[in-house]
Amino acid sequence: MNPVIILTVFISYSALLFLIAGITGRRSTNDTYFTGNRNSPWYIVAYGMIGASLSGVTFISIPGEVGASGFSYMVLVLGYLLGYAFIAQVLLPVYYGRKLTSIYTYLEQRFGPYTYKTGASFFILSRSIGSSFRVFLVVNVLQIFVFDNWGIPFAVNVALFMGLILLYTFRGGIKTVVWTDTLQTTFMLAAVIVSVTIISRDMEMSLGALINQVHKSDFSRMFFSEINDKRFYLKQFFSGAFIAVVMTGLDQDMMQKNLTCRNLKDAKKNIYLMSWSLVPVNLLFLFLGALLYLYVQKMGITLPQRSDDLFPLIALKHHGAFAGVVFLIGLVAAAYSSADGSLTALTTSFSIDILGLGKNQKLSDRGKVNIRMTVHLCFAVFLTGLVVLFRSISDQSVITKLFTIAGYTYGPLLGLYAFGLFTKRRVVDRYVPVIALFSPVLSYLLSVNSMHWFNGYKFGFELLIFNGLITFLGLLFISENHNSQSGNSELNIN
């Protein structure tokens, strides 16, 4: 596809986002930036969170992964439903009952300042690496198909991309993100639907015939019963439940959007609508993945070395200009969706949790806004540097390991919240950072040695559960029973 067309699509979509930002950012304050004035329609939040949940990793990687794992990812998605129900019925009442802006403030109220700073720091570390990785995946495609043709360095590409995100989220913050997420969801889904339609045309098969073809193929296998297989269906299901809890319920990025709803009732409706919508949406992505593999077989197309390149290759090289444009918009939408909410959430967490901006009574409102804007700018520069660093590493396996390591930080958060919610015990607050650091290290050792230590057993996503359990047991070791009201479990309080 002509690089000029690709760049035009990118600029046009960005201009549309700036239009939305101009509308939502009028007369914005810190409350607008952090909470959206708690006035977002729940159904808008739910629809936008679909795209935020998918991100660039799902958009590019899930279709390609079908070649190796079939439809086993759907079992993980079904597990999400259990996790999202827990978020709606347990976590949301805690967050709304305490009127939290940063969800990690709960850790201070329940345990103390060391635990509070630890939880927030783990989120900042994990979200910074994770968001940079997701942005890298998408921006790297733009670099290959556009900027390399003009000799423009990758660093300039990333700086341009992050600069645009910085500008359109600078004033409106989470209020802007809630509305731009709706665009991003729409175009990501449109890219998949257009690709399915074109494959149906090129293969001269109706949708029903394609569904039947996929069903008869090995690609549609969903349940794997071998317990040592990382795709074992029970591991997948329960891992999905816990992934939903930590990646949404304990993640400031996702929950900050949810907390912009008008009240708890609306927030619960948002979670339930979003979670059930993810089932057909993810099934659609997997269906596309199977079709792409059947398509390359029939058309005699050589498979790319990396499965992540399959969808971009077919959309941009074999499906024509219209499909390429729609794919590019979906790709850009996925990149924006990965970065804009993260930039806002990182700014919120650092400003409130680390700098204590909400508690500082000496600063004027103008002074607080200036600090928030400075933090916002610094994180934009920091994320830009991380994305450029990923490119300089150039070893995809190393980058993937960094992304995996970032995921280990959610285990301690799981353990901290579980201990706070389900026990009445108090911990020695100053020892919590040690427990939180020990847990992911031990989990990593379990992961790399599991096949040797446990008779061929290989950890998959369920490692998150063990990570959280290690933290929970560590907290139990440094705790004592406390029957005062402040020591009651959160479930008894609310």
Side-chain angles (χ1 to χ4, degrees):
M1 180 178 288
N2 191 315
V4 175
I5 295 176
I6 296 176
L7 187 60
T8 301
V9 169
F10 176 73
I11 294 174
S12 300
Y13 183 79
S14 301
L16 185 57
L17 293 181
F18 272 91
L19 177 62
I20 295 174
I23 296 172
T24 56
R26 291 174 181 169
R27 296 185 295 276
S28 62
T29 63
N30 269 354
D31 192 45
T32 305
Y33 184 96
F34 293 138
T35 69
N37 302 120
R38 301 192 190 276
N39 199 35
S40 301
W42 66 268
Y43 46 87
I44 296 295
V45 178
Y47 183 68
M49 283 180 69
I50 293 172
S53 298
L54 296 174
S55 80
V57 174
T58 303
F59 185 73
I60 292 177
S61 297
I62 294 303
E65 184 64 22
V66 170
S69 300
F71 276 26
S72 62
Y73 185 76
M74 270 309 298
V75 183
L76 198 78
V77 175
L78 294 176
Y80 289 170
L81 299 177
L82 180 61
Y84 284 123
F86 178 84
I87 293 170
Q89 298 303 127
V90 177
L91 292 179
L92 282 180
V94 173
Y95 298 154
Y96 270 86
R98 293 173 178 264
K99 298 181 179 178
L100 301 183
T101 298
S102 168
I103 62 174
Y104 307 114
T105 309
Y106 165 75
L107 296 176
E108 181 181 39
Q109 297 171 357
R110 178 66 174 85
F111 297 115
Y114 285 95
T115 306
Y116 174 39
K117 301 291 185 184
T118 299
S121 297
F122 270 39
F123 163 74
I124 291 170
L125 171 65
S126 183
R127 178 53 67 173
S128 296
I129 296 176
S131 295
S132 300
F133 177 76
R134 295 182 179 98
V135 170
F136 166 76
L137 282 179
V138 179
V139 174
N140 195 47
V141 174
L142 291 174
Q143 181 69 27
I144 293 170
F145 285 97
V146 181
F147 293 99
D148 279 347
N149 291 288
W150 295 335
I152 296 176
F154 182 74
V156 175
N157 176 11
V158 179
L160 171 64
F161 179 80
M162 291 302 303
L164 291 172
I165 294 174
L166 169 70
L167 291 174
Y168 84 73
T169 58
F170 203 60
R171 293 176 60 84
I174 195 64
K175 184 176 181 180
T176 297
V177 170
V178 164
W179 287 95
T180 56
D181 274 356
T182 62
L183 271 184
Q184 292 154 1
T185 299
T186 298
F187 285 115
M188 288 172 69
L189 294 179
V192 177
I193 293 170
V194 168
S195 292
V196 170
T197 302
I198 292 176
I199 289 174
S200 174
R201 180 201 66 192
D202 289 352
M203 295 181 68
E204 298 179 341
M205 298 175 68
S206 66
L207 179 60
L210 287 176
I211 293 173
N212 185 54
Q213 186 86 352
V214 169
H215 177 68
K216 291 190 300 183
S217 73
D218 292 336
F219 297 122
S220 65
R221 184 181 178 187
M222 187 178 299
F223 297 98
F224 290 78
S225 57
E226 172 55 48
I227 192 169
N228 284 341
D229 194 320
K230 68 178 182 178
R231 300 164 297 182
F232 178 50
Y233 69 96
L234 286 179
K235 291 197 294 187
Q236 289 282 86
F237 179 81
F238 288 107
S239 296
F242 281 91
I243 287 172
V245 170
V246 299
M247 299 293 282
T248 298
L250 305 183
D251 185 279
Q252 178 65 25
D253 183 4
M254 297 298 289
M255 292 313 297
Q256 189 168 355
K257 298 167 186 176
N258 198 282
L259 293 173
T260 66
C261 293
R262 295 185 176 103
N263 51 54
L264 176 60
K265 182 179 178 180
D266 280 0
K268 286 185 175 182
K269 288 190 288 187
N270 157 51
I271 284 291
Y272 281 120
L273 176 61
M274 186 269 291
S275 62
W276 281 97
S277 298
L278 284 176
V279 174
V281 167
N282 278 281
L283 187 60
L284 178 63
F285 272 90
L286 292 169
F287 178 64
L288 171 65
L291 288 183
L292 289 173
Y293 280 100
L294 293 173
Y295 183 80
V296 297
Q297 289 174 6
K298 182 170 183 177
M299 300 298 176
I301 300 170
T302 302
L303 280 171
Q305 289 185 341
R306 296 173 62 252
S307 62
D308 284 355
D309 296 334
L310 178 62
F311 190 15
L313 172 71
I314 301 301
L316 295 174
K317 296 287 189 179
H318 298 278
H319 278 175
F322 176 72
V325 167
V326 176
F327 170 81
L328 280 169
I329 297 176
L331 184 70
V332 173
Y336 275 126
S337 182
S338 298
D340 57 7
S342 295
L343 183 57
T344 302
L346 288 167
T347 301
T348 299
S349 182
F350 193 85
S351 298
I352 293 175
D353 302 326
I354 305 302
L355 299 181
L357 194 62
K359 300 175 184 177
N360 195 325
Q361 304 299 322
K362 297 179 180 180
L363 279 175
S364 64
D365 289 342
R366 184 67 251 173
K368 291 180 179 180
V369 169
N370 289 337
I371 290 176
R372 185 256 296 170
M373 287 183 171
T374 301
V375 173
H376 189 97
L377 175 61
C378 289
F379 268 111
V381 174
F382 178 58
L383 293 179
T384 300
L386 282 178
V387 176
V388 173
L389 176 63
F390 285 148
R391 172 81 173 201
S392 66
I393 291 173
S394 74
D395 186 335
Q396 189 67 30
S397 64
V398 173
I399 297 171
T400 302
K401 284 179 182 177
L402 285 173
F403 181 62
T404 302
I405 290 170
Y408 279 89
T409 60
Y410 282 102
L413 284 173
L414 176 63
L416 288 171
Y417 277 84
F419 196 87
L421 292 167
F422 296 110
T423 77
K424 299 178 181 181
R425 304 180 70 86
R426 304 293 290 179
V427 300
V428 182
D429 182 45
R430 65 181 180 275
Y431 294 150
V432 171
V434 178
I435 300 296
L437 289 171
F438 174 76
S439 175
V441 170
L442 182 56
S443 298
Y444 177 76
L445 292 175
L446 282 173
S447 176
V448 297
N449 295 288
S450 63
M451 294 187 71
H452 176 67
W453 290 350
F454 305 114
N455 195 30
Y457 183 88
K458 186 174 175 121
F459 276 105
F461 292 115
E462 79 278 7
L463 186 65
L464 169 67
I465 302 173
F466 285 90
N467 196 346
L469 180 61
I470 293 167
T471 301
F472 188 97
L473 294 175
L475 294 175
L476 189 63
F477 181 73
I478 62 168
S479 69
E480 61 182 3
N481 198 29
H482 197 288
N483 292 318
S484 68
Q485 184 177 358
S486 63
N488 285 345
S489 71
E490 194 63 55
L491 294 183
N492 289 338
I493 293 174
N494 292 286

